[in-house]
């Protein structure tokens, strides 16, 4: 087979290459640089084509497509959410994504996004907390110590200087796994036996549990004044983590209201309950934290622009690192109108 | 690097592999078998999750995602349409697609779909014509002799026995290319110098031009009674091929009305102009061709179920042919909750 031309080739970052990329850059620096891309895109929020994700729900979970574009680049992510997968040795969430050139419609990057989504979710939480967490925050509770927990911890250390962690999970071995993975990362870590214990004296509460149901990970009495809540786990219809009363005491910050009202903690509230859009805080059009006693809540569900930022960031690392493969994804006949002829000529090539 | 586990691997059909697959099966047999998958899925139409494609329009073209699911499998296609690409040596339309398992959300196939879309579009046209073309049809005009034209010809020969072609394109070299590519396929081919000449005495008129504009490839006087029109080229807002008067004289058959009213020839008509859904003809709930003098029109825009059928078909050929690669697309830690640990352990592996 003749080699496909350069136009037909799409750079591909496999899981293996993504791990090498993160390790080559360093996970802290990766999160910090990625956070800057995410913040940059939030600041030019109004430029983006925004649409709630396109979800295909089934009994066991959901498959979603999350497209967006800034008019120059187009990105989308494929992501599933299947809580039962864990029991079968599979990931609850797996993802991959594509960045494309709006001018030609040609894909420029195909990449795994299971690891990348974990990174961008944590980076987004940390960016939000920069604007919302109490000044000088050092201690964070992480409730739910699954696949996302370490990424949250490292992002909050890299961006905010959080260095004291209080871990809680209904499965203590998950907390132990989290503590073990973070052992060399410079944290003071306490494993707690209740959620109540975990939130004791912290500045930030991160909830990142995985069950697809209405749960009450935090009850109202657990949340003291001045705390920032980073609610990451409640991210689809029927899946919430916080008691409704907490929401009523908090100032709530969201990514994209039409999506968050369906998927976030605020699905528990009236459709017109006031929320503040994160991008407006970043651009100075709205206030973030106003007072030390205020309870701030980032009702994170994950939005397409964050994946777009992550795709942009990965794309920008390829040339320097060479950590990609070349995928023969696009048909590229010598003569664009001659797709059939390309097929006929392939029959005359010697076998590869 | 340790090998990723089987769960992490997604079969990938590159352009090269797709060409080998089509050639190994034979293009006529491929089209015939694919047509059977398409018809099978049209017959169980009501089972599918249907949504108009999600389009991102820009000055130069459009990028679309076309998802659908039958509750057991989920498929989507990424496809662009950029008419200006041809002038830059690129394809107007390129595509790739994914088939996934609804139960786990895990992708089961990633494949090029530029070639596959050309095949499924032609197979769908031929399936529709089985129900709509006049009995005993032998002669077809093809107006627009670009990348799709040969696929249409071969599909109509394989499924309907069409063996006389009258070709017309504003660029005569396109017709010559089409005739050359079809030389060994058993057609009696005439290259015509006008559209009027091309439609002379034919049973079927296939229009498959590519310009993104309102065009009038067929005027009313060119269409005699009893003809079946297979209108393939008009497939996005602002792009039509037929004079409105032809539509008013025809019985119009469509794939999915909410999409066709936006993208098809019938965007020229009132939103309540009667149309018949193709699946209802196939299931016997509606009539196809009723009389020899009737003008039937298949207003083809391409629908997600057809891509779904094509993905299913390709997936079913993989094991017997081995014509795929293995893509390390999904992160698969030994312990699903330990994504971060997988990253840490990758640092301890020797370099690949």
């Amino acid at each position: 087979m003749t080699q496909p031309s350069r136009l037909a080739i799409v750079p591909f970052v496999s899981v293996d290459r993504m791990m090498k990329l993160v390790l080559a850059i360093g996970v802290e620096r990766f999160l910090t640089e990625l956070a800057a891309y995410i913040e940059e895109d939030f600041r030019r929020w109004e430029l983006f084509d925004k649409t709630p994700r396109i979800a295909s729900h089934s009994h066991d979970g959901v498959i979603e497509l999350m497209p967006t574009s800034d008019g120059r680049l187009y990105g989308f992510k494929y992501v599933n959410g299947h809580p039962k997968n864990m029991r079968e040795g599979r990931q609850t969430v797996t993802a991959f994504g594509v960045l494309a050139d709006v001018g030609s419609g040609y894909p420029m990057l195909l990449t795994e996004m299971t690891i990348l989504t974990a990174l961008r979710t944590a980076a987004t939480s940390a960016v939000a907390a920069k604007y919302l967490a109490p000044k000088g925050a050092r201690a964070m509770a992480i409730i739910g110590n699954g696949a996302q927990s370490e990424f949250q911890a490292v992002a909050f250390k890299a961006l905010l200087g959080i260095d004291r962690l209080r871990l809680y999970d209904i499965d203590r071995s998950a907390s132990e796994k989290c503590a073990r993975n973070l052992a060399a990362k410079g944290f003071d870590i306490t494993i707690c036996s209740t959620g109540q214990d975990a939130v004791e004296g912290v500045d930030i509460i991160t909830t990142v549990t995985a069950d697809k149901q209405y749960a009450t990970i935090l009850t109202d009495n657990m949340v003291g004044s001045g705390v920032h809540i980073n609610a990451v786990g409640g991210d689809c219809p029927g899946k919430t983590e916080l008691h409704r009363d907490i929401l009523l005491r908090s100032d709530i910050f969201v990514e994209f209201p039409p999506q968050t009202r369906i998927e976030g903690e605020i699905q528990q509230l009236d459709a017109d309950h006031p929320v503040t859009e994160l991008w407006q805080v970043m651009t100075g059009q709205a206030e973030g934290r106003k007072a030390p006693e205020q309870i701030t809540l980032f009702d994170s569900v994950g939005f397409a622009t964050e994946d777009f930022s992550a795709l942009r960031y990965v794309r920008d690392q390829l040339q320097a690192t060479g950590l990609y493969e070349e995928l023969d994804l696009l048909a590229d006949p010598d003569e664009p109108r001659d797709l059939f002829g390309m097929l006929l000529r392939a029959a005359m090539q010697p076998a590869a």
Side-chain angles (χ1 to χ4, degrees), chain A:
Chain A
M1 195 59 225
T2 49
Q3 285 303 305
S5 90
R6 302 308 305 169
L7 289 179
I9 292 301
V10 177
F12 167 57
V13 179
S14 66
V15 172
D16 179 45
R17 293 297 208 293
M18 181 61 75
M19 291 196 290
K20 288 191 168 75
L21 186 64
V22 176
L23 293 167
I25 293 171
V27 60
E28 292 85 355
R29 192 182 125 204
F30 192 109
L31 284 162
T32 306
E33 292 178 353
L34 173 55
Y37 274 63
I38 290 169
E39 190 165 344
E40 186 187 332
D41 286 337
F42 267 107
R43 284 174 182 275
R44 54 197 195 104
W45 182 258
E46 287 163 296
L47 231 73
F48 282 88
D49 226 4
K50 288 173 290 288
T51 169
R53 61 185 100 198
I54 300 108
S56 177
H57 293 278
S58 60
H59 175 71
D60 292 322
V62 64
I63 297 176
E64 299 172 330
L65 297 174
M66 302 168 69
T68 193
S69 171
D70 67 357
R72 202 175 58 82
L73 296 171
Y74 169 94
F76 82 88
K77 181 167 80 168
Y78 170 106
V79 58
N80 75 297
H82 286 70
K84 75 158 181 70
N85 275 4
M86 209 180 73
R87 295 192 293 276
E88 299 162 5
R90 288 186 167 88
Q91 286 289 112
T92 300
V93 172
T94 66
F96 66 89
V98 169
L99 192 68
D101 172 34
V102 167
S104 69
Y106 272 42
M108 303 157 63
L109 170 68
L110 170 71
T111 178
E112 88 80 34
M113 287 190 82
T114 309
I115 297 169
L116 192 58
T117 296
L119 290 156
R120 78 90 161 114
T121 300
T124 303
S125 283
V127 168
K130 278 204 311 175
Y131 293 90
L132 303 177
K135 295 293 153 232
R138 300 276 300 269
M140 176 160 85
I142 305 182
I143 301 182
N145 301 149
Q148 173 63 203
S149 58
E150 298 95 337
F151 294 96
Q152 289 282 336
V154 176
F156 275 75
K157 183 158 199 295
L159 272 86
L160 283 94
I162 296 297
D163 57 3
R164 296 180 207 150
L165 297 180
R166 298 183 67 80
L167 306 181
Y168 172 66
D169 195 291
I170 47 169
D171 176 359
R172 190 180 174 91
S173 72
S175 303
E176 286 163 356
K177 176 258 335 175
C178 179
R180 200 163 52 240
N181 282 335
L182 295 174
K185 295 289 179 188
F187 291 100
D188 171 3
I189 301 177
T190 308
I191 295 181
C192 304
S193 49
T194 64
Q196 178 72 64
D197 184 16
V199 301
E200 198 62 44
V202 299
D203 309 296
I204 300 172
I205 303 172
T206 289
T207 59
V208 59
T209 62
D211 256 352
K212 187 178 177 174
Q213 61 185 350
Y214 294 109
T216 306
I217 308 304
L218 288 185
T219 53
D220 192 32
N221 66 311
M222 289 165 70
V223 179
S225 71
V227 160
H228 173 59
I229 306 171
N230 172 41
V232 179
D235 64 355
C236 68
K239 180 162 180 268
T240 59
E241 295 183 315
L242 308 186
H243 193 282
R244 187 169 180 278
D245 288 347
I246 299 172
L247 308 184
L248 299 175
R249 286 167 61 210
S250 305
D251 287 304
I252 303 173
F253 299 83
V254 304
E255 291 143 316
F256 182 53
Q259 181 174 307
T260 311
R261 295 207 188 268
I262 296 168
E263 302 173 358
E265 295 299 328
I266 59 170
Q267 63 187 279
Q268 302 181 67
L269 302 182
D270 294 339
D272 60 353
H273 189 91
V275 297
T276 304
E277 296 187 49
L278 198 55
W279 71 272
Q280 294 190 313
V281 176
M282 294 187 193
T283 55
Q285 293 172 60
E287 270 191 286
R289 175 166 288 270
K290 297 172 206 171
E293 69 278 9
Q294 184 187 15
I295 299 172
T296 51
L297 166 62
F298 174 41
D299 187 0
S300 163
V301 296
F303 188 60
T305 59
E306 296 151 27
D307 300 308
F308 180 89
S309 310
L311 288 165
R312 280 208 302 124
Y313 177 68
V314 169
R315 168 81 194 174
D316 287 350
Q317 310 314 311
L318 296 187
Q319 204 169 358
T321 63
L323 287 169
Y324 63 95
E325 296 159 53
E326 300 195 327
L327 219 59
D328 169 27
L329 186 63
L330 305 178
D332 180 47
D334 304 331
E335 215 284 72
R337 290 174 304 183
D338 200 11
L339 198 59
F340 196 85
M342 181 176 79
L343 193 60
L344 294 180
R345 286 187 290 278
M348 292 180 284
Q349 304 282 349

